[in-house]
Amino acid sequence: MTTPAISSREAEVLDLLGEHLSNAEIAARLFISVRTVESHVSSLLRKLELPDRRALSRRSPGGTAPRPAAAPLPAPLTPFVGRAREQAELAAAVTAGRLVTAVGPGGIGKTRLALAVAARAAGDFPDGVCFADLVPVTDPGRVAAAVAAATGVGEQPGRSLDDILPAALADRRALLVLDNCEQVREGVAPFLERLLTACPGLHVLATSRARLMVPFERVFPVPPLSRVGGGRSEAASLFLERAAAVGRAPDPAEYDHVTALCERLDGMALAIELAAARWSTLGLDGLTAGLSDQLRILAGGPRADGRHRSVRAVLDWSHDLLAPEDRALLRRVSAFVVPFTAQAAAEVAGFAPLDPAAVADGLGRLAEQSLLTVTPSAGGTRYHALETIRQYGAERLAGTGELGGVRGRHLAWSLDAAAALAEDAAVAGGSPLGPQSAPQGGAAWRVRFDAVADDLRAALAWAAGLPEHRADAHRLARALASCAFARNLLGEAQQRHEQAARLAADDAEAAAALRQAAGVAGCRRLGDDMYRLHRAAGEASRRAGDPAAAARDLAAAATVAYRFSSTFERIPEAAEARALLDEARGQAAAGGDPAAEAALALAEAAVVADAFGAVQGDADNSAADTVAAAERAVDLALRAGDAVARSAALDALSGAQSWAGDPFAAAAAARHRLGLLDRAGAAAPAATHELVDALAMAAATAIGTGELPQARGWGERLAGRPLLAEVGDHATSWLLVADALAGRADDVLATSPRFLDAWERTGRQRSFSLGPAAAAVAMVHGLRADRGARTAWLATADRAGAEDDHRHGHGAVFDSIVLLHHGDPAAALERTAPEPEAVWKWVCWVWLHWYAALRAEASVLAGHPEAAARTAAARDLVTGNPVATALADRAQALLDGDPQGLLATADAFTAAGCPYQAARTLLLAGGRHAADGAAALDALGLRTGTTGPAAAH
């Protein structure tokens, strides 16, 4: 009679039955389920034809040494945190695939994830889970011995483990966890191929810093811990849990700092744990300060596994596994601070002993070892080292004689990249100016810049401190400034231009860079910086022996003091500006430079004639003299052939003509400069600043002449400038005014949060455009009878604009519209009590026509005895202004009791792009027209009907 075949697992169960263990105890010993033990017991009873467990225990081999038990999963000493998604995905992969390798750099958390997944998946493997740590294994030929010890398979005389293991495990349905395979990959791969072929029920979960490179392997990249979710992210949760274990957990108020710290650690689990271990002694500020040297600060005390004592120890382990040429490549590519291409790496790292042509292959090997990550991008495949690994490579580089050479090659590569980017931006013709002049492929250019910008900054920081690289640093600073400006990074663009000035080889170069910086400061609405930088450029030009340039620069500083006085924190005194003008005249006396003469003429129009109506200006200047001074500036700028100078002179003329009481001429001058700049299409900072200012002036003057569709169009162009991201209040100001006057309530309410947020962030500036914008929003809330919101926005208007302008100009206009809307003409009449001829001397002329026309209507509706005279005067004053003319004509029709004339004004308002006043006309007409007016107001997002005077205040 033949002996029935008993599997190795059944033999193990039989041995343990001989020790009189219960099914539960056997399951715990073998790390299998109780149900699986029951199945094996039933099989043994059947095969051995025995009646019960007692009989089985007697058949257990007596007096023989017990078989080695399978190695159970290690019991972690700390809770496992996060990685719910990775656990689920890896568990599914392990169940579905025969060999899954969890791959990632040292310290990323591969082992803990594998243990968690193995415990989770144990129920899917009737014969249990066993664990083998290959760290102690240095000989590839000893992999089988390590696995045999882990699975409880003993050696047999005359047979090799390569034969014994497949036979012993052939019928097992088990999961084998092989941890830390990287240093014996060449032994692990063939061993697993033989084992898995012979054991169809066996699954393997391996962890390694490099994939095993076998065709049946499924690779599972282990990512860093997620930083999504701030203080509730996986990375932050791990920090908080480990920090609490060593003392006090960070307070919720500190979670933002914890999030930032975990971000700097790239979500690397070991680095986060080591940082948390030092939290109690260093605090978050100490940890943050120390992360510039992560390898030093991220170290712990003695550990059973010495590799986990510090991040450096982990990386030393990986580094020592590399071939010499790959070690050289790892340290050389540490010069890159952001993801880089193989071509860039070849240019920087491809020198002896490395062949440039072999660099791409070396990058692939480093990626296989999880020392680099690979990211596909629109610009091609890019490689990137986690910051801790990059710092490790940089430390290794500093310990060789290659540091200067590698950094120099990185600088040369950065110079070429920056020059190409700057040239493409210049050829494109001015991406900062907005959509109508954006370069073809502008989005692609931005992607290219973003991909290398941090490397350009790092190269510049290194070169700027070395005298031998000063010229290269100057070139790189200039190129980076141009690129930053094209990318709408205005703060950096100004900083880089000023840095280029400091690095310049001579004063002439420095002056040129300072002028560019001043132009950028203008785009940022930083009057103090514009003034400072133009003066500094003048001093540099004087030192360079260029009096004409010095005259231009000093005159520009004097002009800025008056032209942009509302953008200053400290407004230059009139005497100071006049002294600068005198200095400029002295420099220009050397001789007949047309550009210097044009700059002087503009400065005289600004400082002497006060063409721009400056805060510190003289309100008693003769209007005729001011116009003459501005016209002279325009004529000289035309002779100089400089579009930017002509635009500035036309701005002076526009202001002068407004002072002279000719709003239509002022509007024409504003449009002239806008057309001039659009045709020029230049993208330099000064030209861009002029264009932005021209758009604002064109919109403002169109408001003043009642051309609301044009004002809205220019306001939209202004609001849509990415360049104005820093100053969203100024960008949206005239669009808010145009939409409010037209009655587009929903549009105003949608735009106003951007205005308010920017105004708060930029220090609550005052200017002639910010006050009206806030008052316009307040008006819309007033029309909607939202008293609380109106009160809040009126407070903003008080702080954002000039007091007189709010009292007698835009404030009176917008308040009157609200009061008339709610049926309180007496209050509107009181609000417009001063004579129109007096108001324009106190406030911006933009509001004069609106003021006069609304005053006439309030006089008619309130029954003022001079209503007829005021209406007639208003009609004369506003001739040519379509909206103000319709307002005055409506007042006349109301005065005359002329229903046909009244309804005709509704059509006039519609044609002029003012649907609110068209709807209000229908309400005033009453009868069957009132319902149409109410429906029109509803469509505009405004409340209908008269809610009483209280809602207007």
Side-chain angles (χ1 to χ4, degrees):
M1 179 175 163
T2 59
T3 302
I6 297 176
S7 72
S8 58
R9 180 63 87 186
E10 289 171 343
E12 291 173 340
V13 171
L14 187 59
D15 284 350
L16 295 176
L17 284 170
E19 297 179 27
H20 303 286
L21 300 181
S22 68
N23 285 353
E25 290 170 325
I26 294 172
R29 180 78 64 88
L30 297 181
F31 212 88
I32 59 179
S33 68
V34 173
R35 181 173 296 180
T36 300
V37 175
E38 293 171 349
S39 175
H40 286 314
V41 169
S42 297
S43 177
L44 286 166
L45 290 171
R46 184 178 66 256
K47 289 180 178 181
L48 298 178
E49 299 180 346
L50 296 172
D52 54 30
R53 289 173 61 93
R54 182 177 301 175
L56 279 176
S57 65
R58 287 196 294 266
R59 290 288 300 269
S60 176
T64 62
R67 300 175 185 226
L73 290 176
L77 300 178
T78 54
F80 186 73
V81 176
R83 293 203 185 275
R85 179 181 61 82
E86 288 92 339
Q87 284 190 70
E89 292 178 358
L90 184 53
V94 166
T95 303
R98 299 291 309 286
L99 170 61
V100 180
T101 307
V103 174
I108 204 71
K110 301 183 296 297
T111 298
R112 289 299 302 269
L113 176 61
L115 291 174
V117 167
R120 175 173 178 164
D124 296 327
F125 298 96
D127 292 319
V129 179
C130 47
F131 177 87
D133 185 2
L134 299 185
V135 165
V137 180
T138 57
D139 180 358
R142 296 292 299 165
V143 172
V147 173
T151 55
V153 175
E155 296 186 9
Q156 298 177 12
R159 299 182 67 193
S160 72
L161 283 173
D162 285 336
D163 295 328
I164 296 170
L165 269 172
L169 303 179
D171 63 344
R172 291 197 193 184
R173 292 179 58 200
L175 174 64
L176 170 62
V177 179
L178 282 183
D179 197 26
N180 299 297
C181 297
E182 56 270 0
Q183 83 280 11
V184 285
R185 276 197 309 163
E186 62 272 30
V188 171
F191 167 77
L192 287 179
E193 187 166 3
R194 292 191 300 270
L195 184 66
L196 291 174
T197 300
C199 305
L202 187 67
H203 291 231
V204 175
L205 170 57
T207 73
S208 178
R209 298 178 194 188
R211 58 195 180 102
L212 302 180
M213 302 294 286
V214 290
F216 51 89
E217 173 189 27
R218 178 173 178 178
V219 177
F220 185 90
V222 179
L225 287 166
S226 171
R227 280 89 75 201
V228 176
R232 298 181 181 275
S233 69
E234 292 181 344
S237 296
L238 178 62
F239 184 96
L240 295 172
E241 196 282 331
R242 299 299 192 258
V246 297
R248 179 182 66 83
D251 297 325
E254 298 172 300
Y255 283 4
D256 286 346
H257 295 292
V258 170
T259 301
L261 186 144
C262 292
E263 189 66 43
R264 290 188 63 184
L265 295 175
D266 294 308
M268 184 180 286
L270 176 61
I272 291 171
E273 289 189 329
L274 292 172
R278 305 201 66 182
W279 140 253
S280 61
T281 55
L282 292 177
L284 285 173
D285 52 348
L287 282 172
T288 302
L291 287 186
S292 58
D293 185 0
Q294 294 185 15
L295 301 175
R296 178 182 59 82
I297 201 166
L298 299 180
R303 298 284 298 274
D305 184 350
R307 295 173 306 127
H308 291 163
R309 291 182 60 183
S310 69
V311 170
R312 179 182 279 106
V314 171
L315 296 176
D316 282 341
W317 167 269
S318 295
H319 181 267
D320 292 344
L321 297 176
L322 299 176
E325 60 271 21
D326 291 343
R327 295 178 187 178
L329 183 57
L330 178 65
R331 64 178 179 261
R332 290 175 183 179
V333 297
S334 69
F336 292 100
V337 297
V338 291
F340 53 89
T341 63
Q343 179 181 351
E347 292 182 33
V348 173
F351 62 95
L354 294 181
D355 180 354
V359 166
D361 187 42
L363 293 173
R365 289 193 297 273
L366 291 176
E368 289 167 7
Q369 294 288 339
S370 299
L371 292 168
L372 294 178
T373 56
V374 183
T375 306
S377 72
T381 302
R382 292 186 175 272
Y383 299 85
H384 177 54
L386 297 180
E387 178 60 20
T388 305
I389 297 174
R390 193 192 71 79
Q391 287 189 20
Y392 180 84
E395 185 181 85
R396 288 278 181 173
L397 181 64
T400 70
E402 299 176 345
L403 179 60
V406 170
R407 298 296 298 181
R409 293 170 72 93
H410 182 257
L411 173 61
W413 172 83
S414 298
L415 280 166
D416 290 343
L421 285 165
E423 181 178 358
D424 289 349
V427 169
S431 61
L433 303 187
Q436 77 285 352
S437 57
Q440 293 183 354
W445 183 92
R446 291 191 292 273
V447 169
R448 286 171 54 206
F449 173 78
D450 291 346
V452 300
D454 281 338
D455 270 311
L456 305 186
R457 293 165 184 139
L460 176 55
W462 177 76
L466 300 173
E468 63 271 27
H469 287 294
R470 184 184 182 93
D472 288 336
H474 171 71
R475 286 172 50 212
L476 184 53
R478 287 176 52 202
L480 185 52
S482 297
C483 292
F485 187 73
R487 189 64 178 88
N488 301 313
L489 302 173
L490 301 194
E492 181 175 8
Q494 181 180 332
Q495 173 195 354
R496 299 304 177 192
H497 280 306
E498 294 195 52
Q499 186 177 20
R502 293 192 298 271
L503 293 167
D506 57 54
D507 288 319
E509 279 189 346
L514 290 166
R515 290 184 203 107
Q516 295 283 69
V520 180
C523 295
R524 301 176 70 199
R525 295 189 61 82
L526 300 177
D528 301 81
D529 279 3
M530 288 183 73
Y531 183 69
R532 169 181 61 81
L533 290 164
H534 278 303
R535 292 189 67 173
E539 292 302 318
S541 295
R542 184 155 34 200
R543 291 193 302 271
D546 188 347
R552 294 196 302 271
D553 294 325
L554 295 172
T559 299
V560 163
Y562 273 65
R563 185 183 179 195
F564 301 110
S565 60
S566 66
T567 67
F568 279 75
E569 290 187 10
R570 185 198 73 83
I571 300 173
E573 298 288 343
E576 183 179 330
R578 286 179 179 271
L580 274 178
L581 181 55
D582 288 340
E583 285 186 57
R585 287 169 176 151
Q587 292 293 316
D593 178 77
E597 291 178 357
L600 276 172
L602 180 61
E604 288 166 351
V607 177
V608 178
D610 192 25
F612 297 105
V615 174
Q616 72 273 44
D618 184 355
D620 293 330
N621 289 324
S622 161
D625 291 343
T626 303
V627 170
E631 288 175 337
R632 178 172 177 269
V634 170
D635 181 58
L636 289 173
L638 179 61
R639 294 183 195 178
D642 184 341
V644 172
R646 287 180 64 192
S647 170
L650 284 167
D651 191 30
L653 180 60
S654 179
Q657 287 166 332
S658 73
W659 278 98
D662 192 347
F664 298 103
R671 295 177 194 183
H672 186 181
R673 64 186 290 233
L674 185 56
L676 175 70
L677 292 166
D678 275 342
R679 290 191 298 273
T688 303
H689 179 213
E690 277 298 322
L691 179 66
V692 168
D693 186 72
L695 282 169
M697 292 304 100
T701 55
I703 294 289
T705 55
E707 297 165 286
L708 294 184
Q710 292 91 330
R712 189 174 201 276
W714 288 316
E716 281 187 309
R717 279 185 64 184
L718 196 64
R721 301 286 164 223
L723 187 75
L724 300 180
E726 293 183 16
V727 287
D729 46 354
H730 291 278
T732 59
S733 57
W734 292 113
L735 178 62
L736 285 169
V737 172
D739 279 344
L741 288 172
R744 295 185 179 87
D746 291 341
D747 290 335
V748 171
L749 298 181
T751 305
S752 58
R754 178 185 171 191
F755 172 93
L756 186 61
D757 176 66
W759 182 71
E760 296 280 1
R761 281 189 294 102
T762 54
R764 300 183 174 187
Q765 290 184 331
R766 287 183 181 269
S767 91
F768 91 102
S769 65
L770 298 182
V777 180
M779 182 195 81
V780 168
H781 285 296
L783 296 178
R784 290 165 56 88
D786 187 338
R787 188 171 184 177
R790 173 168 168 77
T791 299
W793 277 95
L794 284 174
T796 299
D798 281 336
R799 297 192 299 270
E803 181 180 350
D804 282 344
D805 204 18
H806 191 196
R807 180 181 304 152
H808 301 295
H810 65 261
V813 167
F814 292 131
D815 286 352
S816 295
I817 291 174
V818 173
L819 291 164
L820 291 170
H821 178 84
H822 290 293
D824 194 354
L829 188 60
E830 183 179 348
R831 192 70 180 82
T832 56
E835 294 292 330
E837 292 77 8
V839 169
W840 74 270
K841 294 181 180 179
W842 298 337
V843 301
C844 177
W845 68 272
V846 165
W847 311 107
L848 178 60
H849 287 182
W850 293 88
Y851 181 94
L854 289 166
R855 183 173 187 262
E857 181 172 311
S859 298
V860 171
L861 292 175
H864 192 278
E866 297 181 11
R870 291 181 175 183
T871 300
R875 296 179 78 184
D876 287 341
L877 177 65
V878 304
T879 299
N881 180 322
V883 178
T885 294
L887 284 170
D889 287 348
R890 187 170 69 189
Q892 187 67 55
L894 289 169
L895 183 65
D896 296 340
D898 178 4
Q900 294 304 315
L902 182 63
L903 291 173
T905 65
D907 294 335
F909 283 123
T910 299
C914 191
Y916 165 70
Q917 292 296 350
R920 186 164 181 276
T921 300
L922 296 176
L923 287 178
L924 289 170
R928 60 186 178 86
H929 302 292
D932 292 337
L937 288 177
D938 281 340
L940 290 170
L942 300 171
R943 290 176 180 266
T944 59
T946 299
T947 58
H953 296 286

Short mmCIF file of all heavy atoms in Angstrom, two decimals, residues 2 113 327 331 628 651 936:
data_model
loop_
_atom_site.label_atom_id
_atom_site.label_comp_id
_atom_site.label_asym_id
_atom_site.label_seq_id
_atom_site.Cartn_x
_atom_site.Cartn_y
_atom_site.Cartn_z
N THR A 2 0.65 2.21 -0.94
CA THR A 2 1.49 3.38 -1.06
C THR A 2 1.09 4.43 -0.03
O THR A 2 -0.06 4.53 0.38
CB THR A 2 1.36 3.99 -2.46
OG1 THR A 2 0.01 4.32 -2.67
CG2 THR A 2 1.81 2.99 -3.52
N LEU A 113 4.70 50.31 3.68
CA LEU A 113 3.56 50.10 2.79
C LEU A 113 3.41 48.63 2.46
O LEU A 113 2.29 48.08 2.47
CB LEU A 113 3.74 50.92 1.50
CG LEU A 113 2.67 50.74 0.43
CD1 LEU A 113 1.30 51.16 0.96
CD2 LEU A 113 3.02 51.53 -0.83
N ARG A 327 27.74 57.39 -10.18
CA ARG A 327 27.99 58.28 -9.04
C ARG A 327 28.38 59.67 -9.53
O ARG A 327 27.91 60.69 -8.99
CB ARG A 327 29.09 57.71 -8.15
CG ARG A 327 28.75 56.40 -7.47
CD ARG A 327 29.92 55.90 -6.64
NE ARG A 327 29.67 54.57 -6.11
CZ ARG A 327 30.54 53.88 -5.39
NH1 ARG A 327 31.72 54.42 -5.09
NH2 ARG A 327 30.24 52.67 -4.95
N ARG A 331 26.12 63.24 -8.88
CA ARG A 331 26.59 64.46 -8.21
C ARG A 331 26.59 65.65 -9.18
O ARG A 331 26.34 66.78 -8.78
CB ARG A 331 27.96 64.24 -7.60
CG ARG A 331 29.09 63.95 -8.55
CD ARG A 331 30.42 63.80 -7.81
NE ARG A 331 31.53 63.50 -8.69
CZ ARG A 331 32.02 62.28 -8.89
NH1 ARG A 331 31.48 61.24 -8.25
NH2 ARG A 331 33.04 62.09 -9.70
N ALA A 628 -0.43 125.32 -23.79
CA ALA A 628 0.72 125.69 -24.63
C ALA A 628 1.96 124.89 -24.25
O ALA A 628 2.71 124.42 -25.12
CB ALA A 628 0.99 127.19 -24.49
N ASP A 651 -0.41 112.69 -23.12
CA ASP A 651 -1.10 112.59 -21.84
C ASP A 651 -1.15 113.94 -21.15
O ASP A 651 -2.17 114.34 -20.57
CB ASP A 651 -0.39 111.55 -20.96
CG ASP A 651 -1.19 111.20 -19.71
OD1 ASP A 651 -2.44 111.26 -19.76
OD2 ASP A 651 -0.57 110.84 -18.70
N ALA A 936 -37.08 95.46 -17.60
CA ALA A 936 -35.72 95.76 -18.06
C ALA A 936 -34.76 95.88 -16.87
O ALA A 936 -33.61 95.42 -16.94
CB ALA A 936 -35.71 97.05 -18.88
#
